[in-house]
Structure formats: C-alpha cells, structure tokens
Amino acid sequence: MTTHAAPPSPPASAPAPTVLSVGFGERLPAGRTALFAVQHLLALTGIWVFPNVIGSALKLSSDEVALMIQACFLLTGVVTILQSSRVLKLPIVQGPTAAFMVAIISSGAAYGLGTAFGSMAVAGLVFMLLTVPLKRFGLFGHVSAFVSSPIVLGTLFVIIGAQLASIGAGGWFGTAGTPSYGVLALVVTVATGLIVLLCLVVGTGILKRGAIFWGIVGGSIVALLVGQWSFPDLSAAPLVGAPHLLPYGFGVSLPVVVLMLVAFLQAGTESMGMYTMIASWGGETVDTARVNRGLFAEFAGTVLGALFGGIGTTSYPENAGIVRVSGVGSRFVTMTAGGVAVALAFFPPVSLFLAGISGPVLSAATTILFGIIAVSGIQMLAAVRWDDLNLAVGATAFIVALGAQFIPTAISSALPSSVATVVTSPMMMGMFLLLGLHGAVNHGLRPLLARRGQPRRVVTPLVPRTEGNTHA
C-alpha cells in the first residue's frame, strides 16, 4: 500500500531502452492476464484499509465503512481502466492515497463526511480546469512545483505520521468493555505486526509488495484461532447492489476545499512521476498533452468517486514495482485489474466483509504503515538544504502543528468553529503553516536577502558527544 511520499521523477527528455519483456500494447493469454491482474489487486490494500482507518478514527459503523469501500472499488477501477485504455495507454494502477485519507479524517471530524467528500469534489473540479488536455501544461506544473518542495511535503508527511500514531496504537488492546479487550488482543496485534515485518524484511516479489495484505490475512487467522474475531454476518447484505450516491450527504466548506486542494496537488505530482517512469520502461516518452490527459482523467474520476464516498486516488508505486519486477507491461493486465475492482463495487457482501476486519489486526498493520509514512517524510527532508531560513520554516510548522492540538479546550472552544477546526488539526494547521511560511520565507525573503548579498548560514546538526567524536 502506497504512502505516496516519494518525489516524482523528472520528465524524460528521450526514450529510455525498454526493460519490459511484455510491451504496453501486447496481450497475454487469458489465464496469465487474470493471474497478473490479481497480483496488482493484492497490492491495492488501500481500497479497504484506508476506509477502515477512517471508520476507526470517526467511530463509524461497519455498514458506513462498507459503503466507503464500495465507492473505493468503483473509483479505483474506473480510473485504472481509463488510464490503461484510451487516455494514457500505460499500465497505470490508481488507488486511494494516505493524503486524502488524513484529509477526510481531519475534516470529517469537524464538519462531517458529507462536507469532506463534497469539498473533495469541488477541489477536484478546480484541478480538472488546471489540467484540461491542451497543448501547454498550464498552471498545474507551477503550483505543483511550489507544493512539492521537499520541505513542504516532507514536513507534512512527518506531521501526518505523528497525527496517525494514536489511531494505530489506540487499538492494540482492542475495544474497552468488549470480551476481546486485553492481553489476547495484544497477542493478535503482535502476531500481525511480525508477519508484516517478516514480509517486508525477508519477503520477495508479491510477498514483499503485499506485506500489509499478508499481515492482515495472517493476523485474521490468528485472531480467529484464539477466539478474538469471527466472520462478520453478511446475511442482511444483498448479493448485488450499486454504490450509494451521496451516502453521507453533501456539503462544502472553504477550509476543507483548501485542504483537499493540497491533497490533489500531492497526488497529481506523484502521478506525473509515475507516468514518466513507467513510460520510460517501455521506451516511450510522455509529453505535456499526454500528462494532462492522465491527470484530467485522475481528477475527474476522483470527483465522480467523491460523490459516492470514495477516497481520492493517485498512481500506486507498488503496482509500478510489479510491472518493473515482472517485466509485464501489458496495459490489458491493469485494465483487467480495474475491471475486477469495478465488479467488486457491485457486490456489497465483499465490502461488508472487509469492513469487519479485526480491530487489533488493523491497528497492527496501520501502525507500521503510519511509521512508513512518517519516515518517508524524513527521507524527503534529507534533500533540504538546512540553512537558517529552511530551519525556521520546517521547525516552526512541525512543532506548532503538533502542539496546537493541545491548546486548552476553554481557549479553542471560544474560537470561531472554522478557526478552531484548523488550529486543532495537525494536518490542516501544518498545511497552512508550511504553505504560508514556505511562500513568505523561501519565495519572498530569500530572494530579497540574496539580492542584498547576505549568505545564509547552513545549520550544523547537533551530534551527541561520544568517545572518539570530535564534533560538538
């Protein structure tokens, strides 16, 4: 499952030699096509893990989570089919991204899910206008370059990982007041975590790339054996049923629209890198018009999916890895995976079953996932030149965003609701601080100081004094 923190690849200037044994336009026999399509689906655990995380954070019922999972299957499938067929003609697989998940948690807690998804749809329309498939790239490239700066995205992902830590760790012992609460739940948590880590560390191929999936499968079996979980009751769910339009209502809020705009920027920027990288494996280049077509389809699909309660998507690096390792670049394989995802959206028992995953199992898997999100942000921050100006931006945004959530209730409750919502949400507060400080300091103050000839001091990291260490 992707955390979507990797920086995008730069546009290729010339086609690279192909590294694929099966080209983009080649077809495989039906059996092999189905086999590789299933492999891609196993890497798409975000379809059902992210809705479960949102459900846990917002105290949703299994039925409400199931509706979101249905919508995610639909959104993922539709956009994947579009990208694999006439739009990009590349083996691109789309899936829910963590940036949208956290944005939904933050805005859903304050405004409700109807406003969260409604604002996502509005933000998606804005970006559709910025990526109308014309010959020139338009505004998206300029805006994306500003937001995708390592100091902005890197710091934001560290903040997101820290904000999510309580959601993962909070479920290690199960739910208080239930028979599963306590030591046995912790046993299930530890078993799940160990399986995920083993798959990540010693696994190869599909075992490694599907580590979260296999951890949840193994943890569920352990939970079943120790009596901490049972199969959910699916008898009341219809065998066939379409995703629900506006299942949580509809609303729009300006602060939430801005939050969703940032999530779209991150998702679109990552997709641009995936398009370029995957195309180069087949000896192709992706020009501006082709990039615009892909982004337009991605944003349009998210607008449609948001109306059904689906989480915004981006191009999954895990699935790109499957293409690279297997050498199978047939877009008909990913198109088949998208078709299966759409079909699953019309079988409610599947979504209801996935919504009934054991809490400790989900908590263990997501704890590791959230840690990966935070560390991926740290990896991005390694590219930052840490002079005193960048230190002022990153350090201030990080500590204020996390610290403001602990403002006394008597103070935060006296603020206007829209302000209180932003201040007490680490992701929203961090987003506004990073965008404001990065713009003011690096795009305003830094050029001014450079014109005056004032060099910026690079900050030396503080290294603990140890025996043999000569640095202070």
Side-chain angles (χ1 to χ4, degrees):
M1 182 188 347
T2 185
T3 60
H4 310 115
S9 304
S13 57
T18 181
V19 296
L20 302 176
S21 58
V22 178
F24 299 147
E26 295 183 53
R27 295 178 182 266
L28 295 173
R32 292 192 66 200
T33 297
L35 178 64
F36 283 110
V38 169
Q39 187 176 5
H40 278 290
L41 285 173
L42 291 179
L44 287 170
T45 46
I47 292 177
W48 41 277
V49 170
F50 286 168
N52 272 292
V53 173
I54 294 172
S56 175
L58 301 182
K59 311 300 182 185
L60 303 180
S61 67
S62 295
D63 290 339
E64 290 173 312
V65 173
L67 292 176
M68 200 180 302
I69 294 174
Q70 264 191 285
C72 286
F73 273 122
L74 178 67
L75 172 54
T76 292
V78 167
V79 182
T80 298
I81 291 172
L82 289 174
Q83 305 290 47
S84 302
S85 56
R86 304 303 302 173
V87 177
L88 269 177
K89 296 183 179 180
L90 290 174
I92 295 291
V93 178
Q94 302 273 163
T97 172
F100 279 110
M101 177 193 71
V102 180
I104 291 170
I105 291 173
S106 298
S107 54
Y111 298 96
L113 286 176
T115 298
F117 286 112
S119 299
M120 184 192 299
V122 172
L125 291 172
V126 172
F127 275 101
M128 286 175 64
L129 293 176
L130 294 178
T131 54
V132 173
L134 299 175
K135 292 298 182 183
R136 293 209 168 267
F137 191 68
L139 294 175
F140 183 85
H142 300 289
V143 179
S144 174
F146 175 80
V147 175
S148 62
S149 169
I151 195 168
V152 174
L153 275 188
T155 307
L156 188 60
F157 270 85
V158 175
I159 292 171
I160 288 174
Q163 178 181 349
L164 292 173
S166 62
I167 298 176
W172 289 353
F173 293 89
T175 304
T178 64
S180 62
Y181 184 69
V183 176
L184 279 180
L186 182 61
V187 170
V188 173
T189 299
V190 172
T192 304
L194 287 175
I195 294 171
V196 173
L197 291 174
L198 283 172
C199 290
L200 285 173
V201 174
V202 302
T204 58
I206 191 172
L207 195 64
K208 184 182 185 71
R209 298 190 179 279
I212 299 293
F213 174 82
W214 299 117
I216 290 175
V217 170
S220 297
I221 293 173
V222 173
L224 191 65
L225 292 176
V226 299
Q228 295 299 295
W229 180 67
S230 59
F231 288 102
D233 182 11
L234 309 177
S235 59
L239 181 61
V240 178
H244 293 226
L245 182 64
L246 303 178
Y248 312 104
F250 184 86
V252 177
S253 170
L254 182 58
V256 181
V257 171
V258 174
L259 180 64
M260 294 298 174
L261 287 173
V262 173
F264 271 106
L265 277 168
Q266 187 274 327
T269 300
E270 177 133 2
S271 289
M272 288 164 54
M274 290 295 107
Y275 301 164
T276 301
M277 181 175 65
I278 293 177
S280 70
W281 295 341
E284 298 184 8
T285 56
V286 180
D287 59 18
T288 297
R290 195 173 179 186
V291 168
N292 278 339
R293 290 199 305 271
L295 291 176
F296 186 85
E298 178 178 322
F299 298 150
T302 297
V303 171
L304 172 66
L307 298 178
F308 291 90
I311 302 171
T313 70
T314 191
S315 301
Y316 262 39
E318 284 88 341
N319 295 91
I322 291 173
V323 171
R324 181 66 179 84
V325 171
S326 68
V328 177
S330 173
R331 57 191 178 87
F332 299 100
V333 168
T334 53
M335 197 185 308
T336 300
V340 174
V342 170
L344 291 174
F346 290 85
F347 288 95
V350 174
S351 297
L352 191 59
F353 174 80
L354 294 173
I357 296 171
S358 165
V361 169
L362 187 66
S363 294
T366 53
T367 294
I368 297 172
L369 172 64
F370 300 156
I372 293 173
I373 292 174
V375 172
S376 64
I378 295 172
Q379 289 177 315
M380 295 182 72
L381 290 174
V384 176
R385 184 175 183 270
W386 286 108
D387 58 16
D388 46 4
L389 294 183
N390 277 328
L391 188 65
V393 172
T396 303
F398 173 76
I399 201 65
V400 173
L402 290 176
Q405 63 184 316
F406 301 108
I407 289 176
T409 305
I411 302 297
S412 60
S413 61
L415 298 172
S417 60
S418 58
V419 176
T421 298
V422 172
V423 169
T424 56
S425 167
M427 180 184 180
M428 296 181 75
M429 187 67 170
M431 173 197 68
F432 283 112
L433 283 172
L434 285 165
L435 293 180
L437 290 171
H438 178 56
V441 174
N442 284 324
H443 291 267
L445 181 60
R446 185 182 294 276
L448 178 63
L449 294 175
R451 285 194 295 271
R452 293 179 177 179
Q454 298 181 23
R456 306 316 306 163
R457 179 178 63 90
V458 177
V459 179
T460 303
L462 296 177
V463 180
R465 185 183 297 274
T466 59
E467 185 176 353
N469 178 21
T470 60
H471 297 286

